[in-house]
Structure formats: structure tokens, C-alpha cells
Amino acid sequence: MTIETDKPHAGGERAPLAGLDELARRVGEDAAAREARRELPYFAFDLFRASGLGALRIPVARGGRGGSLEDLFELVATLAAAESNVAHALRLHFDITETLRLDPRSSHTDLQIERVVGGAIYGGASSERGTARAGEVTTRLVRQGDHFRVSGRKYYSTGTAFADFARINLVDEQEAGVMIFIPVKRDGVEILDDWDGMGQRMTASGTLVLNEVRVEAHEVVPRVPGGLVGRHTGALRQLHLVATACGIVRRILADARNYVLRHGRPVQHSPAPSAREDAFVQQVIGELAAQSLAIDTLVRENARALDRSSDALARHAPDAEALVLESALATARTQLVVAQLALRAAERLFDAGGASMTGRSHNFDRHWRNLRTLFSHNPLLHKARVVGDYYLNGTTTHLVEGKVF
């Protein structure tokens, strides 16, 4: 289904995003019905591999497309407008490619970039259930001669079922943080489709089981939290969620407009001869258009802030740390505003029609469910408090942890 909206993106007109519009069109076909059936979109990731867009952030000199972060978040929003599960499930892939772009060059990074340029998709997992606090890692990597073994269970393994390789956060036998990069189809790796959230139901965000999985020495790298690159990619992961919400609101606007034009009827007491001429319906569509534009603008400006911090990190610029802090603040502020606008749009959508608009055949309720799930990833009240504390007292404690900002 073509999305009829005035989204402000250049799509295939820009070389880094060539093929994006056609990819989104194909991914979006029958998306609402697939969501109702809870049918995982494996086909969409085959299309994504073939598109070459997975290497969007890899420099041209290394075989990639050399796109900016503004390009990246336009890609996320465009895919999310077609099928938000697909856009969301690519979150870790683009987190990893950003890290590879900024980390010092090594045999490890060269290998991963070569895989990405060849079309590979990355997933992975960090979180575990049953720990005392969210984010704690207890799954242990154990040495066995010249290699390692790992057993354990991870959760929130978003997108890993669709991926080729996984980055998994562990601890070693000395309790130091490490990451492993392994093929998803390696013996002992099992991905369960047991994510039971009310929204983003086809992101494969459930359990990743590791049963005596062999890990080679060259597949293990240290995990050092709190560095500038980690702080930058922390904000990038948060804006990925917001850009996904941005695309959902584009879809809300398109769905509302299409419903009015194709199915809408004026209510009994309306003097208008058609729904499209009803002043109240026009007001609803106008509000949705304004909300969508506001969200697009916020995401685009936030992406530009992240571009500045990324470029500064790549150049080892003296102001890199200040720019990373600035982009973290921008991302937190953007999340706070977009959450309010997007959830309001998902509710306001139903004012464009009557009770028939709630029909399961339309599946319009998925928009609110998906948005509410996206904005439940991190406590927005905490973000608001942290931003307020910064503006009042200059406190940066949580902003420089490299966790969720």
C-alpha cells in the first residue's frame, strides 16, 4: 500500500538512500494484516540484505554507502511508516555499524565491516531476566583450551531471529565485561519467538538460548562501558526508537486520510455532504499533519546533532566530549516531546471516523500499542528529571554513564 503523506525525505533521489522507497513499498505490502496474524517478516530482511542499505553508515572507501545519521534516521522512519517492526528490528544492526565505523581499525572491525558490506545483518542481546536490576549481565564465558564455551539465556534479543550474526554481552571468568560476535546459526544457539508484548509483536524480541556454544578466541572482544563512542551510540539507539515512532505517526496520518477518503461518512448530525468536507474531520487531519511535521523536524534536527558528535569522534576533535553530551541532551528532549505528540496522534486518529474505524480489518489500534511499547523502553520521567537537573544544576551524572541517553 502506498503511503499518501507529505513526508519530507528525498528517498531514492539521494545516493546513500537509493532503493529505499521501493524497499519500503514492498515491506509495507499487507503489513496490517500480517500484524494481526502475528507473522514474522522474514521476507523483509531478505529484501533488506539485497538492498545494500545495511552498509549505509560504512564509508564509501570501505565499500559502504557513506550515508549520514540524518540519512540513517530517515531510513528508519521510512521503513517504520511501512512496517514498524522491521525498522525497530534493525536497531542493533545500526548500533553495531556505527561502533565499527568509529572504533580503531583492527582485524576484528575489518571482518565485521566486510560482512556488513556483503549484506550481513547483525542482531544480538545483552539483557537477562531474573537479575536484581535491569542491565546486569551474569552469563559467563568460560575458557576451554584454545577456545571458549558459553551457556545461558538472554532476553530482548530484538531482530536476532532475522540476523546473520549476533553481538552478545557476557562476563568472563574474572567478571570483566566482554562481547562475542558469532553466527546466529551456530550449534547451540536457539532463538525463541516468545516475546509477548502488546506492541512491536513481530520484532523477535524474545529469548536467546546459548547451550554450550563454542566461541573462538578471535570472536571475543572487551566491553568497556562509558567511553565516548559508547555514549554516542547509546543516544543513537534511543533516537532509533524515536525515529521508529516518527514513521508510525506518518502512517497514522496516511491511514486517517485514506480512511476518510475511502470509507468515511459524515455523522448523522453533520451538515457536511461528505466526511472529507466535515469541519471536525478536517481539523483532525490538520492536527495529525502538524504533529507528524513536528516529529519529523525534531528527529531530523536531533540526527544532525548526532552527526556532529559522530564526525567529531571520527576526527578525534577536542570538542568531541562536549558534542556527545549535547547530542545526549538533544535525544532526551526529543524523546520527551515526541512521546507526547505520537501517543496523542495514535488516539486522535479515531476521531477521523466512527465506530467502524475500530474494526479489526483496519487494525488501527496497532499504532497506539506499538508506540506505547516503544516509549516504555526507558523511563521518560527519569529522562525529564535528568534534563531538568542539568539545566538547573549542571548535573551530568546520568548523561555521561553511556547507558540509555
Side-chain angles (χ1 to χ4, degrees), residues 266-272:
V267 296
Q268 290 183 8
H269 54 267
S270 173

Side-chain angles (χ1 to χ4, degrees), residues 267 269-271 275 277-286 348 351-352:
V267 296
H269 54 267
S270 173
E277 296 168 280
D278 186 292
F280 294 105
V281 173
Q282 292 171 350
Q283 180 183 356
V284 171
I285 301 302
R348 193 72 163 123
D351 289 330

Side-chain angles (χ1 to χ4, degrees), residues 126-128 131-138 154 169 223 403:
S126 177
S127 299
E128 300 174 13
T131 57
R133 189 178 293 272
E136 291 183 0
V137 174
T138 63
K154 294 286 186 176
N169 289 355
R223 178 168 57 91
K403 291 183 178 178

Side-chain angles (χ1 to χ4, degrees), residues 145-361:
D146 63 350
H147 65 278
F148 299 86
R149 294 280 178 179
V150 59
S151 293
R153 297 172 76 90
K154 294 286 186 176
Y155 199 65
Y156 298 118
S157 54
T158 302
T160 308
F162 313 118
D164 303 290
F165 297 92
R167 182 187 71 186
I168 304 170
N169 289 355
L170 307 169
V171 292
D172 65 16
E173 293 171 284
Q174 288 73 47
E175 301 296 327
V178 295
M179 299 180 292
I180 61 171
F181 289 73
I182 60 173
V184 168
K185 293 184 177 179
R186 178 162 292 175
D187 289 347
V189 177
E190 183 181 8
I191 301 167
L192 307 180
D193 181 25
D194 58 350
W195 165 241
D196 63 352
M198 67 178 179
Q200 296 300 94
R201 299 192 304 164
M202 291 94 67
T203 54
S205 293
T207 301
L208 174 68
V209 180
L210 302 165
N211 184 18
E212 285 295 303
V213 176
R214 179 177 174 127
V215 180
E216 304 301 335
H218 73 271
E219 296 173 325
V220 182
V221 295
R223 178 168 57 91
V224 183
L228 282 182
V229 172
R231 286 168 54 189
H232 166 73
T233 56
L236 181 142
R237 291 193 300 273
Q238 299 311 302
L239 191 59
H240 193 119
L241 295 175
V242 179
T244 303
C246 174
I248 292 173
V249 175
R250 290 182 187 177
R251 168 58 71 178
I252 287 170
L253 172 59
D255 282 348
R257 180 175 181 268
N258 292 339
Y259 182 88
V260 171
L261 295 177
R262 299 174 185 178
H263 306 289
R265 296 183 297 174
V267 296
Q268 290 183 8
H269 54 267
S270 173
S274 67
R276 68 192 299 167
E277 296 168 280
D278 186 292
F280 294 105
V281 173
Q282 292 171 350
Q283 180 183 356
V284 171
I285 301 302
E287 288 181 7
L288 293 176
Q291 289 162 339
S292 184
L293 174 62
I295 293 170
D296 277 333
T297 303
L298 285 166
V299 170
R300 185 167 61 251
E301 290 305 308
N302 198 157
R304 290 171 178 171
L306 281 166
D307 263 325
R308 289 191 291 273
S309 62
S310 182
D311 290 346
L313 288 168
R315 292 183 287 105
H316 305 287
D319 61 345
E321 185 166 9
L323 290 171
V324 169
L325 176 62
E326 178 184 302
S327 62
L329 282 164
T331 304
R333 295 195 304 262
T334 297
Q335 281 183 301
L336 291 168
V337 176
V338 172
Q340 297 175 50
L341 292 176
L343 289 167
R344 173 59 175 158
E347 177 187 309
R348 193 72 163 123
L349 162 67
F350 293 95
D351 289 330
S356 295
M357 202 174 189
T358 67
R360 294 302 303 150
S361 61

